[in-house]
Amino acid sequence: MNSVAKVRDVMTADPIRIDHQVSLQEATRIMIEKRIDGLPVVDGQGRLVGIFTKTHAFRALGMDIKTPVGRVMQKKVITISEDATTEEAWKIKVGRLPVVNGQGDLVGMVTRTDLVMGFRRQLQHALEQLGAVLNSAHNSIVAIDRAGKIIIINRAAERLFGLAEKDVLGKHIKDILPNSNLTKVVMSGTAEYGKNLSIGGKAFLANKTPIMHNGVAIGAVDVLQDISELEGISQELGTVKMINRELNTIIDSSVDGIVVSDKDGVIIKANDAYRHIIGIKEDNLVGLPVKWLMDQGYLRESVTLKVLESKKNETISLQVPSGREVILTASPILDDGGDVYQIVANIRDLTELNNLSEQLSVSNALNVKYKSELERYRQGELLADMVFQSEEMVTKAEMSIKVAQVDSTVLLLGESGVGKEVFAKIIHRASKRKDGPFIKVSCASIPPNLIESELFGYEGGSFTGSKKEGRMGLFEMADGGTIFLDEIGEVPTDVQAKLLRVLQERELFRVGGRKPLSLDVRVVSATNRELEEMVRQGTFRQDLYYRLNVISIRIPPLRQHREDIPPLIHHFLEKFNAKFGFHKKIASPVIGRLVHHNWPGNVRELENTIERMVVLSTDDLIDSDFLWPAAGDKQSDQGWPSLNLNEVLEETERNLIMQVYKECQSTRKAARILGVNQSTVVKKLNKYSRKDAVQHH
């Protein structure tokens, strides 16, 4: 793939299309059969003239099914050229974007998912190119992230250390290379250049550089330059010092800068590479003292002068006026008496290595950026009510956001307490109705004789006890927004028929009313019951089931994504600490046991358990002794108490509700204090009052 991808590279080519003369019946059949949300419409010459979606199909209900789609389709269609870049396509906030060629002919369709996959392939291609560059480098390269874990090791480093990439990636640098101080470079954010070390009998020059992003060190890279060859060359010069022509050939052909000085520090030979790397304008340096380079500001210090003082090899690293980072290595050539006869200095430009380090930094920064963008998309404001990290819950959340883009009815399935209401709110907030009302209806908490009037409202005087001015129903209150029908399986059979009419006709009659009221409502329903079995038993209408089950999302129970339990525990702990003014913590053994519990009540049961632990524990640290008997207790079973947790939670809930209601003598006030709906307080009071009556009897 090219560095800048075109729309043609990621689009779905030759999409299904229909002629503008095709009937509504045929267009709808194609969408249902192919499971697609919309069809591009073309004229007789194959040019795009409109788009026909499920919304248009719904709006056309009541029209002649043989009506051409050209009469109801959307004619103003946003398109994009196949030569446009994927970045340009991404800026157009359309879920399905028709693609046209230079003649205006429809050649493809591109979705947001296509674009994300295209970006991902671009990133993968960039990473592969970077890997190829790193593995082609002669020098050994090792890089770590901020946590000290190895993220890159090239083939040269594998050969040098006798390690395999698959065995070291993700491991801490101290566990693999104990003598490395790369972590120090990350913490300080300061580079370390020109460190000499010996590995396997060879001499290396280590350059450690922090990987910076937005002024913060996010890792470090260690480049090991084999300088054994340079030392070997300096020794070879002692044996070939009289062979001037071969020596000059070697010096002049070297890509490294080389300068040869005599015992007094006067330059007797300097190649073009030396002048080019340092940035010297003079054509001829022969006869000039090396100190002249310092006087003119070309060098801050002279490696040749250091050798003259120490009479041994010297290496320094510095920056020259041109901005290049260089390493200078000088070696003495001794005569037969052991005195310095000549000094050969070598200068190597590290710009290429530093550019490689910069490329690595940029690549890592891009990687962080793309991951951050995906994470914000996945866990942004839309998912603010969710705490999860498992792949399964990520998939369910992303599916909810996707289906929110259309107005189809959604059926949420799952056990009690898995968080169906949370998913319903996500669908509402991610839809075009997000600014409209979100009305939750608990079908099980409304008495059967009142549910019809609660849902659809009533006209004044329609029944005994009704208000003379009538009353608006919950469906009317949800107009322009979303209505969430929780526990839909509890709706009585006679009300199911009227609910079906509302879904089909998008209008309702109030109880006692004769005038239909038009509705614009998105319906999301939920149940913990098996509606298909209820249909077979005749307790739930089959036609209503099909209307509700256009799109279904089954939310898994907590025991099937246990990796989400620890973050949920900490989330609820913070919630109840803030609510009650505590600063309590949960010991690790307790968290371990909570993770392995089956949680028949799912997330709701876990939340209630954490609240109970916070309220009833006497110490700031909630440890295992608080929840489970000591080892050897006959009541325990592999560390779990025989006491039923649901019974304990129910008893705690009963005591709390009864006490609050006793003090305020008002279900409305009690609901406000407890943070729940008034209907919940009424239902719970009736439940526990009946239980108390049975027990006393």
Side-chain angles (χ1 to χ4, degrees):
M1 181 180 290
N2 296 328
S3 58
V4 178
K6 301 293 186 180
V7 170
R8 70 165 67 89
D9 299 325
V10 300
M11 71 180 185
T12 299
D14 193 21
I16 299 173
R17 68 196 75 185
I18 57 174
D19 188 86
H20 67 292
Q21 295 294 339
V22 168
S23 69
L24 293 174
Q25 181 182 30
E26 177 63 13
T28 304
R29 183 194 66 77
I30 293 173
M31 284 196 294
I32 295 174
E33 180 180 310
K34 302 299 183 180
R35 296 180 178 271
I36 53 179
D37 299 332
L39 290 168
V41 184
V42 298
D43 59 14
Q45 286 74 42
R47 293 181 178 176
L48 185 69
V49 295
I51 190 165
F52 181 76
T53 67
K54 286 185 178 180
T55 301
H56 298 104
F58 283 131
R59 290 175 181 170
L61 290 176
M63 296 178 62
D64 187 346
I65 60 176
K66 297 191 179 297
T67 301
V69 295
R71 292 179 55 189
V72 298
M73 69 181 182
Q74 180 178 336
K75 297 181 179 180
K76 294 183 178 180
V77 182
I78 299 175
T79 63
I80 193 166
S81 169
E82 62 178 343
D83 295 321
T85 65
T86 52
E87 287 80 3
E88 292 172 330
W90 183 260
K91 293 177 181 178
I92 301 175
K93 306 299 183 181
V94 175
R96 294 173 59 85
L97 191 59
V99 183
V100 297
N101 60 16
Q103 291 73 43
D105 299 330
L106 178 70
V107 295
M109 295 289 287
V110 64
T111 66
R112 305 294 282 181
T113 301
D114 295 331
L115 295 173
V116 169
M117 294 303 296
F119 292 146
R120 184 174 294 174
R121 288 195 296 270
Q122 282 184 273
L123 175 60
Q124 183 62 34
H125 181 66
L127 292 175
E128 290 174 355
Q129 285 185 323
L130 176 61
V133 171
L134 292 173
N135 287 323
S136 300
H138 173 72
N139 293 328
S140 300
I141 300 174
V142 178
I144 62 172
D145 61 16
R146 183 167 181 80
K149 294 182 179 180
I150 297 175
I151 56 175
I152 289 176
I153 179 170
N154 70 348
R155 292 201 179 99
E158 287 183 279
R159 292 191 297 268
L160 175 61
F161 297 114
L163 300 171
E165 181 184 54
K166 63 182 179 63
D167 296 329
V168 301
L169 287 184
K171 302 291 182 61
H172 199 281
I173 187 73
K174 291 293 186 183
D175 297 332
I176 305 301
L177 301 173
N179 296 326
S180 173
N181 63 343
L182 263 185
T183 53
K184 176 183 175 184
V185 174
V186 177
M187 298 306 295
S188 66
T190 303
E192 294 182 0
Y193 297 121
K195 299 294 183 180
N196 290 306
L197 68 155
S198 177
I199 302 175
K202 290 186 176 182
F204 289 88
L205 197 64
N207 294 293
K208 298 176 174 62
T209 308
I211 303 171
M212 307 299 292
H213 177 60
N214 291 334
V216 177
I218 61 172
V221 60
D222 190 359
V223 180
L224 298 177
Q225 180 183 353
D226 185 354
I227 59 175
S228 302
E229 179 181 355
L230 297 179
E231 293 183 346
I233 291 175
S234 67
Q235 295 172 3
E236 290 287 338
L237 289 176
T239 62
V240 295
K241 58 184 178 180
M242 302 302 294
I243 313 176
N244 291 323
R245 185 160 51 179
E246 286 87 352
L247 178 59
N248 289 336
T249 302
I250 293 172
I251 293 175
D252 290 334
S253 62
S254 174
V255 294
D256 289 344
I258 298 177
V259 61
V260 182
S261 306
D262 63 16
K263 62 181 180 179
D264 297 318
V266 176
I267 299 173
I268 60 175
K269 178 64 180 178
N271 66 356
D272 291 336
Y274 183 86
R275 293 193 298 273
H276 175 71
I277 293 172
I278 294 183
I280 299 174
K281 299 178 181 179
E282 285 74 6
D283 293 334
N284 190 4
L285 298 179
V286 175
L288 294 174
V290 292
K291 191 176 182 301
W292 177 86
L293 298 174
M294 299 170 61
D295 295 338
Q296 296 298 314
Y298 290 118
L299 297 175
R300 294 197 308 270
E301 56 181 322
S302 170
V303 70
T304 299
L305 295 179
K306 292 175 69 72
V307 171
L308 286 174
E309 293 177 2
S310 65
K311 297 184 179 181
K312 61 181 182 181
N313 296 342
E314 296 286 350
T315 299
I316 60 174
S317 63
L318 48 81
Q319 188 178 64
V320 296
S322 64
R324 298 173 183 268
E325 295 287 341
V326 298
I327 287 183
L328 298 103
T329 302
S331 301
I333 300 175
L334 305 179
D335 59 17
D336 294 339
D339 296 323
V340 175
Y341 172 68
Q342 288 180 343
I343 303 98
V344 178
N346 174 277
I347 182 170
R348 176 161 291 184
D349 186 359
L350 295 183
T351 303
E352 181 179 352
L353 291 178
N354 289 335
N355 287 340
L356 190 61
S357 175
E358 184 179 349
Q359 290 178 31
L360 177 62
S361 177
V362 171
S363 177
N364 280 317
L366 286 173
N367 195 17
V368 170
K369 175 185 175 184
Y370 288 141
K371 286 184 178 179
S372 176
E373 288 177 353
L374 289 174
E375 191 69 14
R376 283 199 303 273
Y377 168 76
R378 191 175 69 184
Q379 296 183 346
E381 183 181 349
L382 296 177
L383 307 181
D385 293 339
M386 293 192 69
V387 178
F388 62 88
Q389 62 186 22
S390 64
E391 188 64 30
E392 184 166 9
M393 291 301 286
V394 169
T395 300
K396 298 297 182 182
E398 290 177 344
M399 182 179 180
S400 299
I401 294 174
K402 182 177 181 180
V403 302
Q405 309 308 310
V406 295
D407 260 351
S408 301
T409 56
V410 179
L411 178 61
L412 302 174
L413 304 171
E415 298 177 6
S416 178
V418 295
K420 296 186 284 294
E421 182 178 352
V422 174
F423 276 87
K425 290 180 179 178
I426 291 173
I427 293 172
H428 173 69
R429 288 201 299 261
S431 72
K432 61 184 180 181
R433 300 176 178 272
K434 62 181 181 296
D435 296 326
F438 177 83
I439 303 298
K440 177 192 174 183
V441 183
S442 179
C443 299
S445 64
I446 304 176
N449 61 326
L450 296 179
I451 190 168
E452 181 180 356
S453 61
E454 287 292 318
L455 290 176
F456 309 128
Y458 59 83
E459 296 293 345
S462 58
F463 56 86
T464 302
S466 63
K467 296 181 179 180
K468 64 179 181 179
E469 68 273 14
R471 182 180 176 185
M472 179 186 294
L474 295 172
F475 265 93
E476 289 181 68
M477 294 172 62
D479 193 39
T482 303
I483 188 168
F484 174 45
L485 302 176
D486 196 13
E487 301 182 83
I488 188 67
E490 308 302 324
V491 175
T493 307
D494 57 331
V495 179
Q496 291 178 22
K498 298 180 179 180
L499 181 58
L500 176 63
R501 173 180 172 79
V502 172
L503 294 176
Q504 288 178 331
E505 306 298 334
R506 295 294 172 178
E507 63 181 22
L508 61 79
F509 288 89
R510 288 183 175 180
V511 175
R514 297 184 177 181
K515 180 180 179 181
L517 300 176
S518 298
L519 287 176
D520 177 22
V521 177
R522 177 32 164 325
V523 178
V524 179
S525 57
T527 182
N528 58 6
R529 303 181 64 179
E530 293 297 334
L531 293 185
E532 290 186 0
E533 181 61 28
M534 294 178 65
V535 170
R536 286 192 289 269
Q537 294 175 358
T539 57
F540 199 87
R541 292 181 63 104
Q542 185 179 50
D543 46 6
L544 176 59
Y545 170 68
Y546 290 143
R547 274 290 177 183
L548 295 172
N549 193 32
V550 175
I551 298 174
S552 63
I553 301 175
R554 184 170 292 276
I555 306 168
L558 189 55
R559 60 183 173 275
Q560 291 182 7
H561 53 103
R562 296 181 185 274
E563 59 266 47
D564 289 327
I565 293 178
L568 282 168
I569 291 173
H570 291 293
H571 170 72
F572 292 139
L573 182 63
E574 291 181 1
K575 172 183 175 181
F576 293 121
N577 272 334
K579 179 178 180 180
F580 300 119
F582 294 146
H583 300 282
K584 298 186 178 183
K585 297 181 179 179
I586 300 179
S588 296
V590 177
I591 294 177
R593 295 192 181 191
L594 292 174
V595 168
H596 289 91
H597 183 48
N598 277 335
W599 300 110
N602 295 295
V603 179
R604 185 183 297 117
E605 180 186 0
L606 174 61
E607 181 177 10
N608 293 339
T609 300
I610 300 302
E611 181 175 11
R612 168 178 167 265
M613 293 166 64
V614 170
V615 171
L616 299 183
S617 63
T618 57
D619 299 324
D620 283 343
L621 179 64
I622 304 172
D623 57 25
S624 58
D625 292 336
F626 171 70
L627 286 179
W628 294 280
D633 192 325
K634 293 182 179 180
Q635 291 182 338
S636 65
D637 179 13
Q638 295 181 350
W640 288 95
S642 59
L643 183 63
N644 187 285
L645 182 58
N646 288 328
E647 293 176 358
V648 174
L649 294 175
E650 186 176 88
E651 181 65 16
T652 303
E653 180 184 70
R654 187 190 73 81
N655 292 337
L656 183 61
I657 292 176
M658 290 298 190
Q659 180 180 352
V660 172
Y661 178 69
K662 182 178 179 181
E663 291 178 358
C664 61
Q665 292 296 311
S666 167
T667 57
R668 187 179 302 277
K669 291 181 179 179
R672 186 167 60 251
I673 293 172
L674 295 171
V676 298
N677 295 328
Q678 182 186 13
S679 60
T680 300
V681 174
V682 173
K683 183 171 67 173
K684 296 291 185 180
L685 284 173
N686 292 335
K687 171 184 174 183
Y688 293 130
S689 296
R690 288 195 301 271
K691 283 192 174 182
D692 289 345
V694 171
Q695 290 173 356
H696 285 97
H697 180 72

